[in-house]
Amino acid sequence: MQHLSNPFRGQGLTNLSGAPAPSTDADAVAKLLAQCPAHATTPLTCAPDLATRAGVGALWVKDERGRMGLGSFKALGAAYVIACDAVAMGAEDLSTALAGRTYITASAGNHGMSVAAGARIFGARAIVHIAETVPESFAERLRDKGAEVVRAGAEYEASMALAAESAETNGHILLSDSSWPGYMDRPHRLMEGYLQMAAEALDDCPEPPTHVFLQAGVGGLAGAVAALVRKRLGDGPRVVVVEPDAAPAIFNSIKAGGFVTTTGPVSAMGRLDCKEASLIALTGLSRDADDFLLITEEEAADALAPMAAEGLEGSESGVAGVAGVLAADAVSLGLGPESRVLCFLSEGPA
């Protein structure tokens, strides 16, 4: 485990191509989701054995495995953007509101499922580029949701570049869960969707958390949750971002004082194995997060069994926030018997 304190806390990086900070308009998300029959609040689970193992007073896990039948928090992202597009059309029949549109993306996991599901609900077409390393079982899940699947690129970043090129060539709508210079609007709205998960978790915590541990790939989940934590609870909670040491995109950018592209081996934390951070997420986290951790493959794997023992089975990606708690140096992060820790189980077993 590696630890980095955030020297930009409170003001954030300002050299990120004008990237906006994440939205904190949780009410807008709740209002739209209230119209969705598939929407339901996901549970916040108290995990006393994990708390004991971590040496803290309480550990709560927001369980996103059942989110809208898609198996992860990503159901709140791309599908939310597509729903906003459909409502904006003003059509009486929302099931055909986006007929004739094609949404295209790249995905290393659950983001593609959200694009596919959203497109299908509102009558659009979905194309999902996946890298050579993505299992065929995931490709079949995408096809079952009605998506066209294209194998493209050796890794996620290459798949996204090819998806963006195809969108430009064919007039499709690019819907990425990351952001970069010239591409900010849709990922900003997408991250806004994640506020529902954050709002539910904060509403259900028996007491305000003293620490919030957030796993990050491109940083969408972490950036959205951290922004709402600061809006609702101010500077009280210590926000800790956890990444694989094979993909230290946010960690290295904070260390460098600006956006950097990273390299590393393929990680078992596949949905977090992103070598470049979203500029919107990096803008927010450089302002809102207190600490950044890198965990090893072994440290992620070590969290699987204790999580499963609490009835919280997940993948290495899904349990990475809890893995960060278990691997952290308690003294450097101010963890102790009085600490109340909020984590997120972002997906079920791979």
Side-chain angles (χ1 to χ4, degrees):
M1 189 274 294
Q2 298 180 54
H3 172 228
L4 175 67
S5 296
N6 183 8
F8 307 103
R9 173 73 177 88
Q11 64 182 57
L13 292 168
T14 58
N15 56 352
L16 299 176
S17 301
S23 171
T24 56
D25 189 1
D27 290 343
V29 186
K31 182 177 180 180
L32 187 144
L33 288 176
Q35 304 175 52
C36 176
H39 169 65
T41 300
T42 57
L44 184 75
T45 299
C46 181
D49 290 343
L50 283 170
T52 299
R53 183 182 289 262
V56 299
L59 195 152
W60 305 307
V61 180
K62 179 65 168 168
D63 183 358
E64 288 295 296
R65 294 174 298 173
R67 179 67 71 178
M68 297 173 73
L70 292 184
S72 86
F73 77 101
K74 293 281 188 177
L76 293 168
Y80 172 71
V81 176
I82 296 172
C84 288
D85 288 351
V87 171
M89 295 295 288
E92 291 186 10
D93 183 0
L94 287 179
S95 68
T96 59
L98 300 178
R101 288 195 183 193
T102 298
Y103 290 88
I104 187 168
T105 195
S107 180
N110 299 302
H111 169 66
M113 292 290 289
S114 190
V115 173
R120 176 187 244 178
I121 290 169
F122 299 106
R125 177 185 175 210
I127 302 174
V128 181
H129 286 222
I130 59 174
E132 296 167 4
T133 54
V134 175
E136 183 59 24
S137 59
F138 176 65
E140 287 302 319
R141 289 179 63 204
L142 287 168
R143 293 186 187 105
D144 288 344
K145 287 293 182 182
E148 177 184 336
V149 178
V150 178
R151 286 275 181 187
E155 74 289 313
Y156 169 79
E157 287 75 19
S159 293
M160 183 55 73
L162 291 167
E165 181 181 325
S166 180
E168 182 71 21
T169 300
N170 297 296
H172 301 328
I173 299 169
L174 182 66
L175 183 45
S176 172
D177 58 353
S178 189
S179 58
W180 52 82
Y183 185 74
M184 303 282 185
D185 291 348
R186 288 186 181 277
H188 192 265
R189 177 62 60 84
L190 183 145
M191 285 179 62
E192 183 177 80
Y194 299 157
L195 294 174
Q196 180 68 24
M197 168 183 61
E200 291 174 6
L202 294 176
D203 287 345
D204 289 346
C205 283
E207 299 178 75
T210 62
H211 295 71
V212 182
F213 278 70
L214 302 166
Q215 55 265 51
V218 297
L221 178 155
V225 175
L228 196 66
V229 167
R230 294 297 173 223
K231 180 179 180 179
R232 289 200 177 183
L233 301 178
D235 290 333
R238 190 160 181 169
V239 174
V240 183
V241 177
V242 182
E243 296 175 280
D245 63 3
I250 299 169
F251 187 102
N252 281 11
S253 293
I254 296 296
K255 189 174 182 179
F259 175 86
V260 296
T261 297
T262 61
T263 59
V266 174
S267 172
M269 290 170 269
R271 266 62 67 201
L272 307 182
D273 190 11
C274 304
K275 312 305 186 187
E276 296 182 355
S278 164
L279 291 186
I280 297 170
L282 185 57
T283 296
L285 290 170
S286 66
R287 178 195 66 188
D288 297 330
D290 296 288
D291 304 273
F292 300 89
L293 301 184
L294 298 181
I295 60 171
T296 66
E297 302 295 290
E298 293 76 18
E299 286 166 339
D302 286 346
L304 293 173
M307 283 285 281
E310 294 273 20
L312 296 166
E313 293 181 317
S315 68
E316 286 90 342
S317 301
V319 306
V322 172
V325 181
L326 297 177
D329 177 74
V331 173
S332 65
L333 292 178
L335 291 167
E338 302 303 316
S339 300
R340 302 179 299 274
V341 183
L342 172 62
C343 297
F344 292 78
L345 174 55
S346 55
E347 65 174 16

